[in-house]
Amino acid sequence: QSVLTQAPSASGTPGQRATISCSGSSSNIGSNNVKWYQQLPGTAPKVLIYSNNQRPSGVPDRFSGSKSGTSASLAISGLQSEDEAEYYCAAWDDSLNGWVFGGGTKLTVL
Amino acid sequence: EVQLVQSGAEVKKPGESLRISCKASGYNFTNFWIAWVRQMPGKGLEWMGIIYPGDSDTRYSPSFQGQVGISADKSISTAYLQWGSLKASDTARYYCARLEYCGGDCYFPAFYFDYWGQGTLVTVSS
């Protein structure tokens, strides 16, 4: 059971917008910023979003993040087949004194 | 180019010991924290612990404290994850990941893992 809660799956068609949600608590998302990692099949995770809504250089602006209270969301616009991946939210947890991750959301592009 | 290259897959029996490695290149190894992350088969990511190679300051997740050891050898820019007595439940892929630069006295919540190793698959079976 992961500390951060994500729906196990999401889907969309090419060109559509998909949204992935992440729910936490006051000790993690509520008091610290959120990161989003993308894990393509058979590869290591890669950071997509940091500080709730910032993109590292090289990440397309189709990816955007937001946070409200103890929840966060990742939005992917203009879906492409190469966006099929597992997406994980992450944050520092002040109670556990460590990073916690969501269980992951598998995005399927139909 | 920053690279984290991990050691190869391991197949072990319950009760055996193991050390896997993560060799860094392309940056000053001593100045960046290195973390270990577990991914059990078909499951999500779990942070295990983190080490600052500059002074070997090490922090563990409560879930992994006492279960694994994390160390680093500055002379060869390599971080390690080790077990004294493996269990079947240790079967997983293990990733090392570099924390973006924040120095030795780091406010962890503000930073993210910017480079990851390719992962080491550890299989524990009798």
Side-chain angles (χ1 to χ4, degrees):
Chain A
Q1 192 81 354
S2 301
V3 174
L4 305 181
T5 301
Q6 297 180 242
S9 62
S11 64
T13 56
Q16 269 192 336
R17 175 184 169 96
T19 302
I20 296 170
S21 298
C22 175
S23 177
S25 68
S26 59
S27 64
N28 42 65
I29 294 178
S31 50
N32 296 300
N33 61 43
V34 176
K35 294 81 170 159
W36 289 90
Y37 294 90
Q38 177 194 56
Q39 186 174 31
L40 295 167
T43 70
K46 164 194 158 185
V47 65
L48 281 182
I49 297 288
Y50 67 97
S51 294
N52 304 322
N53 55 18
Q54 301 298 302
R55 286 185 308 277
S57 60
V59 174
D61 59 7
R62 301 187 297 107
F63 295 91
S64 61
S66 63
K67 178 183 125 172
S68 177
T70 59
S71 295
S73 293
L74 172 71
I76 309 169
S77 61
L79 271 178
Q80 301 177 4
S81 58
E82 54 260 43
D83 297 332
E84 277 210 345
E86 196 87 25
Y87 292 86
Y88 295 94
C89 56
W92 180 268
D93 191 293
D94 293 333
S95 298
L96 297 174
N97 213 27
W99 283 276
V100 292
F101 290 88
T105 296
K106 182 175 173 56
L107 176 66
T108 302
V109 181
L110 302 168
Chain B
E1 179 195 6
V2 173
Q3 285 192 307
L4 298 175
V5 179
Q6 297 186 228
S7 49
E10 301 274 2
V11 180
K12 292 289 190 180
K13 291 182 167 35
E16 291 186 331
S17 62
L18 175 65
R19 188 176 77 168
I20 61 175
S21 65
C22 169
K23 182 165 178 60
S25 61
Y27 71 97
N28 190 335
F29 179 69
T30 58
N31 290 353
F32 289 77
W33 293 81
I34 290 276
W36 288 94
V37 176
R38 183 175 79 175
Q39 187 168 37
M40 298 178 76
K43 301 297 185 183
L45 305 171
E46 300 171 90
W47 174 71
M48 303 175 71
I50 195 167
I51 187 166
Y52 188 71
D55 60 7
S56 293
D57 184 3
T58 308
R59 319 285 175 85
Y60 292 94
S61 161
S63 298
F64 293 93
Q65 178 83 49
Q67 308 303 310
V68 297
I70 294 173
S71 59
D73 186 337
K74 290 186 292 189
S75 68
I76 54 173
S77 298
T78 300
Y80 300 99
L81 178 66
Q82 62 190 50
W83 294 261
S85 180
L86 285 160
K87 302 185 282 288
S89 57
D90 293 318
T91 294
R93 182 173 290 275
Y94 294 87
Y95 292 100
C96 62
R98 190 186 83 163
L99 193 67
E100 59 168 332
Y101 181 75
C102 62
D105 185 17
C106 182
Y107 180 64
F108 289 128
F111 298 92
Y112 63 91
F113 301 116
D114 60 353
Y115 288 93
W116 294 66
Q118 83 277 18
T120 295
L121 182 62
V122 174
T123 303
V124 184
S125 174
S126 54

